[in-house]
Amino acid sequence: MTAEPGTVRPGGRTARVRAAVLRAAGDVLAERGFAHMDLADVARRAEVGKTTVYRRWGSVTGLVADLLADMAEQSLPREETGSALGDLRANAALVQRTLADPRQGALFRAVIAAATCDERTAQALRRFYEVRVAEWAPCVEQAVARGELPEGTDAEAVVRAVSAPLYYQLLTTGVVPDAPAAERAARAAYAAAAAGVYVTGDAP
Amino acid sequence: MTAEPGTVRPGGRTARVRAAVLRAAGDVLAERGFAHMDLADVARRAEVGKTTVYRRWGSVTGLVADLLADMAEQSLPREETGSALGDLRANAALVQRTLADPRQGALFRAVIAAATCDERTAQALRRFYEVRVAEWAPCVEQAVARGELPEGTDAEAVVRAVSAPLYYQLLTTGVVPDAPAAERAARAAYAAAAAGVYVTGDAP
């Protein structure tokens, strides 16, 4: 565990309980999916009292929302390689490794599936991607400042374009994206950005 | 209903029953999702005997697989506009309208969610996209033949690239893609293809 939320004393008992419960929640989600998740099972795996889990998270939906908030806090900081293509490659490689990781990939598939029918999970998922995209957008902004990409480029749209084909492949074909798919995703987003596809209408 | 599978006499009773049951199955999926789908409910809505539905489709999974097979058969033929960008735009607009349609959009979200935890649905979904992508790939092949896109371009990869950002947006943010998103998706796929991103390694 790296970061903890500001409201919780790092290393305190509350933080340790949260870390253990979120770890167990992620394991259960990855193994069994959202529909078969059960707070009592999570409590048992986390070796935490059932009452604590019910009192603190209330429901499976509440627990998954907190798991996504924690994943957003802990998502790796961006890499800066000095070039837009290099940065987009680093981003694509990170997404690809996450989706290819058996536990993380299963976890994302389970959460995305749950978000299609549960509004609170959908909100938490949206928030997760907002945090992640905001973390990487400065790579594109810096490339625009360097004159590498056109003025008025929507930085967040470029970051989303890197992820899109990797998630699309996993969700529609079930085939885990590999390193060449990540390379193609980064190059495609870069080529489209360079061609001005993501320049917003009200740009200079 | 347009096409019917080769094994079933068009307009016959079997075909009419299948059409009514698949229509009801799509409605239930769109309204309630895969997890709450029930063959008896589908039979009631289709005004078809329960026994017929159980005997012919066996399970919810079997019924959803047949629904996807039917959707693949009926998916609209490609448009040919004379230019690669025009064809990709027509494709993007079709995907966008499908995902923005309340019934169809909900149906795709439900099936994609189900595919994350059900192998038979995953296979049927994969097959649906294979048929759809194969239908549109000739647009890209013709653009390569005309010299509009580079030799060795992977036509299917370009068609998938058009859909990816539209599905990604719907699945990760819950926001239904609009016409400008479709335009951006088509232009991005075209720019990346023109830049040679989808040229396969063993191309001439």
Side-chain angles (χ1 to χ4, degrees), chain A residues 154-201:
Chain A
D154 178 342
E156 302 205 334
V158 179
V159 175
R160 289 201 172 89
V162 172
S163 291
L166 304 173
Y167 277 84
Y168 176 72
Q169 177 183 323
L170 181 63
L171 292 165
T172 61
T173 69
V175 177
V176 173
D178 55 11
E183 171 68 16
R184 215 155 42 234
R187 287 175 57 213
Y190 178 78
V197 171
Y198 302 111
V199 173
T200 51

Side-chain angles (χ1 to χ4, degrees), chain A residues 21-32:
Chain A
V21 169
L22 295 187
R23 177 89 211 163
D27 289 346
V28 173
L29 257 181
E31 284 167 31
R32 314 186 55 199

Side-chain angles (χ1 to χ4, degrees), chain B residues 12-115:
Chain B
R13 188 182 128 69
T14 310
R16 282 199 310 276
V17 165
R18 180 175 182 238
V21 169
L22 296 185
R23 177 90 211 160
D27 290 346
V28 173
L29 256 181
E31 283 167 31
R32 314 187 55 200
F34 186 83
H36 299 101
M37 201 165 168
D38 171 64
L39 289 195
D41 182 28
V42 170
R44 199 162 39 240
R45 290 191 188 216
E47 301 181 354
V48 165
K50 245 197 312 195
T51 323
T52 305
V53 174
Y54 280 98
R55 202 168 43 212
R56 177 141 178 203
W57 287 279
S59 66
V60 166
T61 295
L63 181 53
V64 171
D66 195 36
L67 175 63
L68 282 164
D70 184 65
M71 285 162 62
E73 284 155 20
Q74 299 197 24
S75 107
L76 294 178
R78 69 177 169 279
E79 278 180 55
E80 293 186 358
T81 65
S83 81
L85 183 55
D87 292 358
L88 297 179
R89 271 191 179 121
N91 185 10
L94 180 57
V95 173
Q96 183 267 323
R97 283 196 306 271
T98 302
L99 298 181
D101 176 81
R103 180 178 184 276
Q104 294 268 94
L107 205 160
F108 273 98
R109 294 179 79 187
V111 172
I112 290 168

Side-chain angles (χ1 to χ4, degrees), chain A residues 35-177:
Chain A
H36 300 101
M37 200 166 168
D38 171 63
L39 289 195
D41 183 27
V42 171
R44 198 162 40 240
R45 290 189 189 218
E47 301 182 354
V48 164
K50 246 198 311 196
T51 325
T52 304
V53 174
Y54 280 100
R55 204 168 42 211
R56 177 142 179 203
W57 286 279
S59 65
V60 165
T61 295
L63 182 53
V64 171
D66 195 36
L67 175 64
L68 281 164
D70 184 64
M71 284 162 63
E73 284 155 21
Q74 299 197 24
S75 105
L76 293 177
R78 69 177 168 278
E79 277 179 55
E80 294 185 358
T81 65
S83 80
L85 184 55
D87 291 358
L88 296 180
R89 270 189 180 125
N91 185 11
L94 181 58
V95 173
Q96 184 268 323
R97 284 196 305 270
T98 301
L99 298 181
D101 176 82
R103 179 178 184 275
Q104 294 269 94
L107 206 159
F108 274 98
R109 294 178 80 188
V111 172
I112 290 168
T116 64
C117 55
D118 182 272
E119 188 41 45
R120 190 162 169 199
T121 302
Q123 276 174 25
L125 188 66
R126 200 150 51 228
R127 179 79 195 123
F128 171 81
Y129 288 111
E130 281 166 8
V131 170
R132 207 198 162 277
V133 168
E135 169 66 26
W136 282 85
C139 290
V140 178
E141 288 157 9
Q142 288 158 15
V144 172
R146 284 194 302 264
E148 228 192 313
L149 291 175
E151 280 284 327
T153 295
D154 178 342
E156 302 205 334
V158 179
V159 175
R160 289 201 172 89
V162 172
S163 291
L166 304 173
Y167 277 84
Y168 176 72
Q169 177 183 323
L170 181 63
L171 292 165
T172 61
T173 69
V175 177
V176 173

